[in-house]
Amino acid sequence: MLTAAHTQYLNNLVGAENFYTDPAHLQAYAYDATRERHLPDGVIFPRHEEDVRQILAYCNEHQIIIVPRGAGSGFTGGALSAHGGLVLSLEKHFDRILEIDEKNLIARVQPGVINKHFQNEVEKRGLFYPPDPASQDQSTLGGNVSENAGGMRAAKYGITKDYVMALRAVLPNGDVIRAGKKTIKDVAGFNVAGILIASEGCLAVITEITLKLLAKPKLKQSAMGVFSSIQDAMEAVYKSMASGVTPVAMEFLDNLSIRAVEERFNKGLPTEAGAILITQVDGSVPEQISWQLEQIEKHFRENGCVDFRVAQNAQQEEDLWFARRNASQSISVYGKKKLNEDVTVPRASLPALLQEVERISQAYNLPIPCFGHTGDGNVHVNIMLEDPATQLEKGQQAMEEIFKSAIALEGTLSGEHGIGLSKARFMPLAFTPEEMALFRRIKSAFDPNNILNPFKMGL
Amino acid sequence: MLTAAHTQYLNNLVGAENFYTDPAHLQAYAYDATRERHLPDGVIFPRHEEDVRQILAYCNEHQIIIVPRGAGSGFTGGALSAHGGLVLSLEKHFDRILEIDEKNLIARVQPGVINKHFQNEVEKRGLFYPPDPASQDQSTLGGNVSENAGGMRAAKYGITKDYVMALRAVLPNGDVIRAGKKTIKDVAGFNVAGILIASEGCLAVITEITLKLLAKPKLKQSAMGVFSSIQDAMEAVYKSMASGVTPVAMEFLDNLSIRAVEERFNKGLPTEAGAILITQVDGSVPEQISWQLEQIEKHFRENGCVDFRVAQNAQQEEDLWFARRNASQSISVYGKKKLNEDVTVPRASLPALLQEVERISQAYNLPIPCFGHTGDGNVHVNIMLEDPATQLEKGQQAMEEIFKSAIALEGTLSGEHGIGLSKARFMPLAFTPEEMALFRRIKSAFDPNNILNPFKMGL
């Protein structure tokens, strides 16, 4: 796809140190967290926005595919060049925090800044950036915006889109656009920033992000509730939140997940429990913390909670969260390969969703440990395959049934991970032909030659 | 524009009682809060979504302009048919609250529901819908979504877009689309709901809105700070908010506004003050309320606050807010006509913005009382004309200077009111030709024949 002339042009533009076509380097940009591999024809590292502009304009003219890439930590292949072309990596030269404006509680960053690095920098100043995807140590803010990343704190603080105030971006034709403002209120022009968020790199290359910050809450405290059945736990989630408490996080592990963590780490977890809920509240004064924990305990106990433990110090806090943090890696005890998806339903439909997962697990005779962000209805379902060679098709059928159940419960195919390549074939389960046609027209409005991350999202 | 055949078709479709072409009825749909008048060729009241679908498909085929309309309370002509065609009114048959889902803290409504009516209904259930535009007694939720309405509580609770979870809408070609989900997290497909919000009826006709609700805060308390200078007050706003307190509202009146209210209502307001700030905090426990008020008082006093009064009961609460609620009508003491706009800047730029307004007021020798939502940087500037016939052009020039100042301070042409007709000509001050071109391509992706609210927003 890349001719000698293209290679020469791009090489001259950014310099040989910022443009690779040798197999070793291409291999390094062929992967993401899906474990699929797709070799690009080249990897280019723009040094600044003007490079992005020139690269896009050139590739648009010559119909060369561009796949924007942050850290490559995505779960759905959004940063994979499944159809060749150029990977445009923002990790090398777009990694600066440009401004932390403490007067306005706003930051301006480049898209290659690592989420956790940014969190640390703002917290040093007593400020707070809530979105905390599990990938926060690796994933970039540009990737977070492109996938609209969530995390554990979404129950109270929302997700990436709730913090994006403005973007700068380059369109495939080389036009530089600004979208949004540094102001809470801005109703001039179409909400272009809104449509760029979660667009999975299909519409434009983001070159600068303006994010809203909060003051860091002074106090926080965590608690764990143990439930004999998962149904009880799921009822407790939505009933406690409907009562007027909004915890920072309301996470759960099902019995399989609890037992997996216990098997690996031996932490004295309640292995007979149907589920545990781990929650955290925050605030400015101690009375606010205790009021929230009292309310949660009351609603937990009314819904079958047999044990409620409040962390009394940092160590206990750490211990309570240990099980949740180690669930994802621990469930490998159930199989060599996992098919993991992140379906999401309205909270009150969690009991029904988990019942469906149980039914599907039995019907397909596959263990499906579940854990995740029940506070926002987001469940990580993990179909475990002991022998992937013979079980893969069965596992995929089971996953399709789970998707259908989630959608029937007014939920979504993906709460956090996006669609990318992995879920592209499921889009018709969730969207009508008319809705898919609208997506394609929006794509064309930004990218008429379809050079930016084509074929992703089922487009 | 409407031929006899068109009239007959539309009449047959919805019935004579839902389709008017007689002058008296047309007059009633020719106005909004701009006081401009533009007679449409017809007014149609679809009875249900299927009517909307058929009307749009027919008008699309016959290139008939459609202007969607809620209550007609907008300040920028968004609901005015400045180029003839049909006004499509959703006030008659789309006024139902379809569901208040207390388990998930979600409501589904039709677009013609009045904001205040909806607020009352959810508050009866102990729930809370924060967006409270000043027009809340008249304006519809569909209009609020289309203009992305704000209000006084935006400082803490954000604006309409922060509460829209999902929309149903009809595209000009008659396609019915769903956008968004009943879930906090949803990253499947492009964020079409995001771009429909604030699109001023230019992209689709919204037929159903799913809104996020909160539990109603149990406690609230208000306070007023009196400042000798407006500069001090503006410094106090951003410094207190940067310190970690997020009040529900942080409103201001400048000296001219204070004096106007006092002249009309004689309430014992501090007429020598440079400005007053009126603020409200809320929470679940009394200690949280007092902590916030203490913090605010501290930062107010550090920035020149000469008097700080906390409301101790409902009557005092009411009294504190009286001045703010009556500012808009009271400033008519300064002139027969007001040019009022709603520029918005990052909070820390408020001192500079108000300084610019003062300079422009002197340069043009026109009184410009200001009040508004300083907590989110949103200032209602009111250029008062004693003799509109001779002063209008001068007033408009002064307003253009204010727009330029706001934009130079990284602000926006409009925080709340939108662009519509009134501000269409100022769009090039805020957007580049490339950005305007992108807006036009987005418009075309939804509305290729340009029948929906054409020429608004400078498109």
Side-chain angles (χ1 to χ4, degrees):
Chain A
M1 192 160 192
L2 283 184
T3 65
H6 298 149
T7 303
Q8 172 128 34
Y9 173 86
L10 295 167
N11 210 63
N12 287 350
L13 178 67
V14 297
E17 69 281 17
N18 290 312
F19 179 52
Y20 302 145
T21 52
D22 61 295
H25 274 106
L26 298 185
Q27 282 291 345
Y29 290 87
Y31 69 91
D32 73 353
T34 57
R35 302 193 192 176
E36 281 191 50
R37 299 190 79 78
H38 295 280
L39 272 189
D41 298 312
V43 182
I44 196 159
F45 301 88
R47 295 159 301 172
H48 37 55
E49 190 178 81
E50 180 57 22
D51 274 354
V52 175
R53 224 184 59 64
Q54 303 241 18
I55 294 165
L56 283 178
Y58 182 84
C59 290
N60 194 42
E61 190 188 332
H62 296 88
Q63 310 263 333
I64 300 166
I65 288 173
I66 298 262
V67 178
R69 183 182 175 94
S73 59
F75 270 118
T76 54
L80 295 183
S81 61
H83 301 271
L86 274 186
V87 162
L88 184 147
S89 169
L90 296 151
E91 71 181 344
K92 209 160 142 181
H93 303 298
F94 282 82
D95 63 347
R96 276 180 306 135
I97 297 173
L98 301 170
E99 180 187 12
I100 296 177
D101 173 353
E102 299 181 53
K103 290 181 176 178
N104 288 303
L105 305 184
I106 284 169
R108 274 191 315 121
V109 302
Q110 292 186 316
V113 173
I114 305 290
N115 176 301
K116 188 69 189 175
H117 171 65
F118 177 63
Q119 295 210 22
N120 291 343
E121 287 303 311
V122 303
E123 290 189 22
K124 277 182 201 164
R125 292 159 175 83
L127 302 175
F128 182 39
Y129 177 71
D132 60 340
S135 62
Q136 61 187 322
D137 290 335
Q138 294 88 41
S139 66
T140 62
L141 293 168
N144 292 174
V145 171
S146 299
E147 302 289 335
N148 194 8
M152 292 206 196
R153 299 168 181 151
K156 177 164 184 172
Y157 289 109
I159 56 178
T160 304
K161 79 173 162 62
D162 301 308
Y163 294 85
V164 176
M165 303 191 73
L167 298 172
R168 276 181 78 96
V170 184
L171 302 183
N173 67 3
D175 283 355
V176 174
I177 58 158
R178 305 148 309 152
K181 283 283 177 191
K182 274 186 164 185
T183 53
I184 292 171
K185 290 173 176 168
D186 170 34
V187 294
F190 290 134
N191 179 14
V192 171
I195 196 107
L196 290 181
I197 297 164
S199 67
E200 303 197 5
C202 295
L203 300 182
V205 174
I206 294 167
T207 53
E208 191 179 302
I209 307 166
T210 300
L211 293 166
K212 182 169 84 166
L213 302 174
L214 304 177
K216 195 177 172 189
K218 293 184 176 21
L219 304 169
K220 60 182 180 179
Q221 197 163 15
S222 297
M224 182 170 82
V226 180
F227 293 80
S228 9
S229 88
I230 186 135
Q231 292 296 311
D232 284 350
M234 296 300 105
E235 299 269 336
V237 166
Y238 82 80
K239 286 179 182 166
S240 55
M241 294 186 70
S243 80
V245 184
T246 308
V248 177
M250 178 73 89
E251 299 284 312
F252 93 114
L253 279 78
D254 70 356
N255 175 267
L256 285 177
S257 304
I258 298 167
R259 278 166 33 207
V261 179
E262 188 60 20
E263 188 174 323
R264 290 188 67 145
F265 295 101
N266 214 340
K267 285 275 179 178
L269 291 169
T271 53
E272 300 305 304
I276 55 176
L277 293 176
I278 310 170
T279 188
Q280 187 181 72
V281 300
D282 68 4
S284 311
V285 291
E287 293 81 358
Q288 191 185 354
I289 301 295
S290 45
W291 179 82
Q292 292 178 85
L293 288 175
E294 280 158 23
Q295 293 295 310
I296 292 173
E297 178 169 8
K298 173 173 170 289
H299 288 280
F300 274 21
R301 294 212 184 264
E302 282 172 9
N303 288 282
C305 174
V306 293
D307 188 14
F308 188 81
R309 305 175 196 167
V310 177
Q312 301 299 346
N313 54 47
Q315 183 59 49
Q316 288 181 14
E317 184 92 17
E318 191 58 35
D319 288 349
L320 279 192
W321 285 100
F322 184 89
R324 176 62 187 89
R325 292 197 201 285
N326 289 281
S328 184
Q329 52 149 312
S330 299
I331 54 169
S332 61
V333 302
Y334 298 114
K336 292 194 182 62
K337 183 175 172 68
K338 68 175 171 187
L339 306 176
N340 63 319
E341 295 296 352
D342 61 324
V343 291
T344 304
V345 295
R347 280 190 298 267
S349 300
L350 282 167
L353 178 69
L354 272 295
Q355 216 157 31
E356 277 294 281
V357 171
E358 174 64 26
R359 182 188 64 73
I360 292 163
S361 171
Q362 285 174 10
Y364 286 85
N365 194 26
L366 291 170
I368 311 184
C370 295
F371 53 84
H373 317 302
T374 38
D376 49 61
N378 182 197
V379 174
H380 292 287
V381 294
N382 303 274
I383 298 180
M384 306 306 299
L385 308 179
E386 194 51 67
D387 181 17
T390 62
Q391 291 180 307
L392 187 60
E393 201 184 323
K394 187 163 82 159
Q396 284 170 340
Q397 283 167 8
M399 193 58 89
E400 185 160 344
E401 280 209 47
I402 292 172
F403 282 140
K404 285 180 180 163
S405 301
I407 289 165
L409 293 164
E410 298 187 81
T412 171
L413 290 176
S414 178
E416 299 188 319
H417 299 167
I419 301 298
L421 289 174
S422 326
K423 278 186 279 209
R425 70 192 178 90
F426 297 115
M427 287 289 275
L429 293 180
F431 297 100
T432 63
E434 291 79 14
E435 289 159 354
M436 292 299 292
L438 177 62
F439 291 161
R440 289 193 188 95
R441 293 198 302 274
I442 292 171
K443 168 80 165 141
S444 283
F446 285 80
D447 181 19
N449 294 339
N450 200 24
I451 63 154
L452 256 186
N453 224 359
F455 313 111
K456 301 289 171 73
M457 299 174 85
L459 300 180
Chain B
M1 193 159 189
L2 284 183
T3 65
H6 298 150
T7 302
Q8 171 126 35
Y9 174 86
L10 295 167
N11 210 62
N12 287 348
L13 179 67
V14 297
E17 70 280 18
N18 291 311
F19 179 53
Y20 302 145
T21 51
D22 61 295
H25 273 106
L26 297 186
Q27 282 291 346
Y29 290 87
Y31 70 92
D32 72 353
T34 55
R35 302 192 193 178
E36 282 190 51
R37 299 189 78 79
H38 295 280
L39 271 189
D41 298 310
V43 182
I44 195 160
F45 302 87
R47 296 159 301 172
H48 37 56
E49 190 178 82
E50 179 57 21
D51 275 354
V52 177
R53 222 182 61 64
Q54 303 240 20
I55 294 165
L56 283 177
Y58 182 84
C59 289
N60 195 43
E61 192 189 330
H62 295 88
Q63 310 264 334
I64 300 166
I65 288 175
I66 297 262
V67 178
R69 182 181 175 96
S73 59
F75 271 119
T76 54
L80 295 183
S81 60
H83 301 270
L86 275 186
V87 162
L88 184 147
S89 169
L90 295 151
E91 72 181 343
K92 208 160 144 182
H93 303 297
F94 282 82
D95 61 348
R96 277 180 304 136
I97 297 174
L98 301 170
E99 180 187 12
I100 297 178
D101 173 353
E102 299 182 53
K103 290 182 176 178
N104 288 304
L105 305 184
I106 284 169
R108 273 189 315 121
V109 301
Q110 293 187 316
V113 173
I114 305 290
N115 176 301
K116 188 68 189 177
H117 171 64
F118 178 64
Q119 294 210 22
N120 291 344
E121 287 303 311
V122 303
E123 289 188 23
K124 277 183 201 164
R125 291 159 177 82
L127 302 176
F128 182 39
Y129 176 70
D132 60 341
S135 62
Q136 61 187 323
D137 290 334
Q138 295 87 42
S139 66
T140 63
L141 292 168
N144 292 175
V145 171
S146 299
E147 301 290 335
N148 195 8
M152 292 206 197
R153 300 168 180 151
K156 177 165 181 172
Y157 289 109
I159 55 178
T160 304
K161 81 172 161 64
D162 300 308
Y163 294 86
V164 176
M165 303 191 74
L167 298 172
R168 276 181 78 95
V170 184
L171 303 183
N173 67 3
D175 284 354
V176 175
I177 58 156
R178 305 149 310 152
K181 284 283 176 190
K182 275 185 164 185
T183 54
I184 293 172
K185 291 173 175 167
D186 170 33
V187 294
F190 290 133
N191 179 15
V192 171
I195 196 106
L196 290 182
I197 297 164
S199 66
E200 303 196 4
C202 296
L203 300 182
V205 175
I206 294 167
T207 52
E208 190 181 303
I209 306 166
T210 301
L211 292 167
K212 182 169 85 168
L213 302 173
L214 303 177
K216 195 176 171 191
K218 293 183 176 23
L219 305 169
K220 59 181 182 179
Q221 197 162 14
S222 297
M224 181 170 84
V226 180
F227 293 79
S228 10
S229 89
I230 186 135
Q231 292 296 311
D232 284 350
M234 296 300 106
E235 298 270 336
V237 167
Y238 81 80
K239 286 179 183 165
S240 55
M241 293 187 68
S243 80
V245 184
T246 308
V248 177
M250 177 74 88
E251 300 284 312
F252 93 114
L253 277 77
D254 70 357
N255 174 268
L256 285 178
S257 304
I258 297 167
R259 277 167 33 208
V261 179
E262 187 59 20
E263 187 172 326
R264 291 188 69 142
F265 297 101
N266 214 341
K267 284 276 180 179
L269 291 170
T271 53
E272 300 305 303
I276 55 176
L277 293 176
I278 310 171
T279 188
Q280 186 181 72
V281 300
D282 68 3
S284 311
V285 291
E287 293 82 357
Q288 191 185 354
I289 301 294
S290 44
W291 179 81
Q292 292 177 86
L293 288 175
E294 281 159 21
Q295 294 294 311
I296 291 173
E297 179 170 6
K298 174 173 171 287
H299 289 280
F300 274 20
R301 294 213 183 264
E302 282 172 10
N303 289 283
C305 174
V306 294
D307 189 13
F308 188 80
R309 305 176 198 167
V310 177
Q312 302 298 346
N313 55 46
Q315 183 57 50
Q316 288 183 14
E317 185 91 18
E318 192 58 35
D319 288 349
L320 279 192
W321 284 99
F322 184 89
R324 175 64 188 88
R325 293 194 201 286
N326 289 282
S328 184
Q329 53 150 311
S330 300
I331 54 170
S332 61
V333 302
Y334 297 115
K336 291 195 183 61
K337 183 176 172 69
K338 68 176 170 187
L339 305 176
N340 63 319
E341 295 296 350
D342 60 324
V343 292
T344 304
V345 295
R347 279 189 299 266
S349 299
L350 282 167
L353 178 69
L354 273 294
Q355 216 156 31
E356 276 296 280
V357 171
E358 174 64 26
R359 182 187 65 72
I360 292 163
S361 172
Q362 286 175 9
Y364 286 84
N365 194 26
L366 291 170
I368 312 183
C370 295
F371 54 83
H373 318 302
T374 37
D376 49 60
N378 182 196
V379 174
H380 293 287
V381 294
N382 305 275
I383 299 179
M384 306 306 299
L385 309 180
E386 194 50 68
D387 180 16
T390 62
Q391 291 180 307
L392 187 61
E393 200 183 324
K394 188 164 82 158
Q396 284 171 339
Q397 283 167 8
M399 193 57 89
E400 184 160 344
E401 279 209 48
I402 292 173
F403 283 139
K404 285 180 181 164
S405 301
I407 289 165
L409 293 165
E410 299 186 82
T412 172
L413 290 176
S414 178
E416 299 188 318
H417 300 167
I419 300 299
L421 290 175
S422 326
K423 278 186 280 210
R425 69 191 178 93
F426 298 114
M427 286 289 275
L429 293 180
F431 298 99
T432 64
E434 292 78 14
E435 289 159 354
M436 292 299 292
L438 177 62
F439 290 161
R440 289 193 187 96
R441 293 198 301 274
I442 292 171
K443 169 81 164 140
S444 283
F446 284 80
D447 181 18
N449 294 339
N450 201 25
I451 62 155
L452 257 185
N453 224 359
F455 314 111
K456 302 289 170 75
M457 299 173 87
L459 300 181

